Amino acid sequence: APASTSHSRVSRIPSASTSSSRYTSSNTKRYDSGGGGSGGRRGRTTTSSESGATDQNAAVDDGPVTDFLHTVSKLGSDEWRARTMAFERLLSTLPSEDDAPLSPDANNQLIPWYKSPPILRRLATTITTLLLDPRSTVVKHTCNSLTILLTSTTDNAARYLIKDLLPTILALHAQTVNVIKSYALQMMLDVIPHTKFKSGLPIFLEKLRKDKNRDAREACARYLRAVLVHWGPTSNQPNYLTRDVYTHIGNGLARGLTDPSQCVRAECRSGFDTLRDIHREIWEDIVHKQDGPLSKDIRLKKTLINAAVRNDAERSLASTEGGRENDEASVYSQG
């Protein structure tokens, strides 16, 4: 089914100062409830200030997204090739590296669809359907296309979209088909360094603690470790992850150290060690807290402390030997 070419439709975005109480309350409930929509709402998008509204006259060109949603909704589940190609056609409207940045019209300030968090979030329901397709080929193409989309957006514009997709992505890890699990894992490890979605961290922590599937819990621990590695302070966002957030992540990983699955315990141990490398004081607070997640397992606590002492000693020795080698090299060079 060919996609419509009517890309001139726009969605008006009111400024944060316009009826702020009406928009803030309604949109917080709508956009944080997990619903992405499948294209039923056309031509109008309201967003709170967190969603990136910039100007009273700001408008979003949502034509490509609306066409994609309409096309997929008309296709049957057996027309999987056409459904994946529709996603690829949507991606073709993304700018290439050689394209010059779009200049908004002075009067209308037209914003591209891929820079609007609410417009991107409308894709959630349709992409969920594609990810849950029983055909591994469809999941592969969808994961590849979703990776391109999420790594092409800037300013974390896709943060709401990926948050809505997290339960589905973690459900892929509960699949019995290993190749589908690998598609989901690779996609997330590619996306996490590019898109920060702090509102999705509670999902990881809850699934790590309560999900009945071992592979899903292991994936949550792996993704939390990637978050610790890639979401540290930057010049633009020096405090994106606050101390409280680091503490919550650390507590979740510490609880995972007593998981019934050895694979989950090992992944949580790697993540907990990563936290120590980044914020040692937070690690120590969690380990020594009297009513903390490790307070009832004295043996585990001693194991962690002894391993940390050995690790510090090895690092100190390596640093000393490295310094001695540099001094000897300097002497020989002077001679």
Side-chain angles (χ1 to χ4, degrees):
S4 169
T5 58
S6 55
H7 289 179
S8 59
R9 291 185 297 276
V10 296
S11 295
R12 290 287 176 183
I13 297 183
S15 65
S17 61
T18 304
S19 304
S20 59
S21 61
R22 174 164 58 107
Y23 285 117
T24 302
S25 60
S26 62
N27 287 312
T28 299
K29 183 180 295 183
R30 178 187 305 123
Y31 288 125
D32 290 341
S33 61
S38 59
R41 265 188 319 136
R42 286 193 181 189
R44 181 175 182 267
T45 299
T46 57
T47 126
S48 62
S49 58
E50 185 182 1
S51 301
T54 57
D55 191 273
Q56 185 173 1
N57 295 322
V60 179
D61 177 15
D62 67 343
V65 171
T66 302
D67 291 339
F68 165 69
L69 298 176
H70 178 73
T71 299
V72 176
S73 67
K74 297 298 183 182
L75 295 171
S77 59
D78 57 332
E79 298 179 272
W80 60 269
R81 191 180 300 276
R83 289 154 66 91
T84 57
M85 289 183 64
F87 199 176
E88 293 175 2
R89 284 197 299 273
L90 174 65
L91 298 181
S92 68
T93 63
L94 291 170
S96 65
E97 296 180 356
D98 298 331
D99 290 340
L102 294 180
S103 300
D105 181 78
N107 297 322
N108 198 31
Q109 291 195 352
L110 195 64
I111 299 175
W113 63 271
Y114 49 84
K115 291 188 177 183
S116 169
I119 297 299
L120 284 166
R121 197 171 193 182
R122 287 173 54 189
L123 298 169
T125 300
T126 300
I127 294 178
T128 294
T129 303
L130 295 174
L131 288 172
L132 294 178
D133 193 286
R135 305 171 185 84
S136 61
T137 301
V138 177
V139 178
K140 177 182 179 180
H141 283 286
T142 304
C143 286
N144 289 340
S145 296
L146 189 55
T147 299
I148 294 172
L149 174 60
L150 296 177
T151 57
S152 298
T153 58
T154 58
D155 300 324
N156 295 329
R159 58 190 180 274
Y160 298 138
L161 170 60
I162 192 169
K163 175 201 169 186
D164 290 346
L165 293 175
L166 282 184
T168 302
I169 294 171
L170 294 176
L172 295 180
H173 288 282
Q175 292 265 4
T176 57
V177 183
N178 288 330
V179 69
I180 290 181
K181 299 178 186 179
S182 67
Y183 296 151
L185 177 65
Q186 188 59 56
M187 176 183 66
M188 288 299 295
L189 294 181
D190 289 340
V191 167
I192 287 175
H194 291 83
T195 302
K196 298 178 180 179
F197 45 96
K198 185 163 54 177
S199 59
L201 295 181
I203 298 176
F204 287 145
L205 293 170
E206 181 181 10
K207 294 290 186 179
L208 174 59
R209 187 175 184 178
K210 298 181 179 180
D211 200 289
K212 295 181 180 180
N213 184 271
R214 177 195 63 190
D215 293 331
R217 298 196 306 275
E218 182 182 359
C220 289
R222 180 66 184 88
Y223 297 150
L224 287 171
R225 177 157 64 98
V227 165
L228 291 174
V229 171
H230 295 291
W231 292 6
T234 63
S235 58
N236 295 331
Q237 294 179 313
N239 299 310
Y240 182 75
L241 295 183
T242 64
R243 182 183 178 89
D244 287 341
V245 174
Y246 279 115
T247 300
H248 285 306
I249 295 176
N251 285 332
L253 293 171
R255 294 189 190 96
L257 295 175
T258 58
D259 191 275
S261 169
Q262 192 276 334
C263 296
V264 179
R265 294 196 303 270
E267 191 57 64
C268 287
R269 177 65 180 271
S270 298
F272 202 51
D273 290 344
T274 300
L275 176 65
R276 184 175 186 271
D277 293 337
I278 298 174
H279 285 289
R280 177 173 297 194
E281 68 281 2
I282 296 178
W283 182 92
E284 292 179 350
D285 288 345
I286 295 173
V287 171
H288 296 288
K289 190 175 182 181
Q290 293 183 354
D291 57 344
L294 302 175
S295 59
K296 296 182 180 180
D297 196 330
I298 304 301
R299 178 179 296 180
L300 176 59
K301 181 187 295 188
K302 288 183 178 180
T303 299
L304 292 172
I305 294 175
N306 292 336
V309 171
R310 289 195 302 271
N311 186 46
D312 289 344
E314 291 173 358
R315 289 184 177 181
S316 177
L317 179 61
S319 177
T320 302
E321 292 178 349
R324 186 182 300 113
E325 291 176 357
N326 291 335
D327 292 339
E328 293 177 354
S330 177
V331 170
Y332 285 123
S333 64
Q334 292 176 0

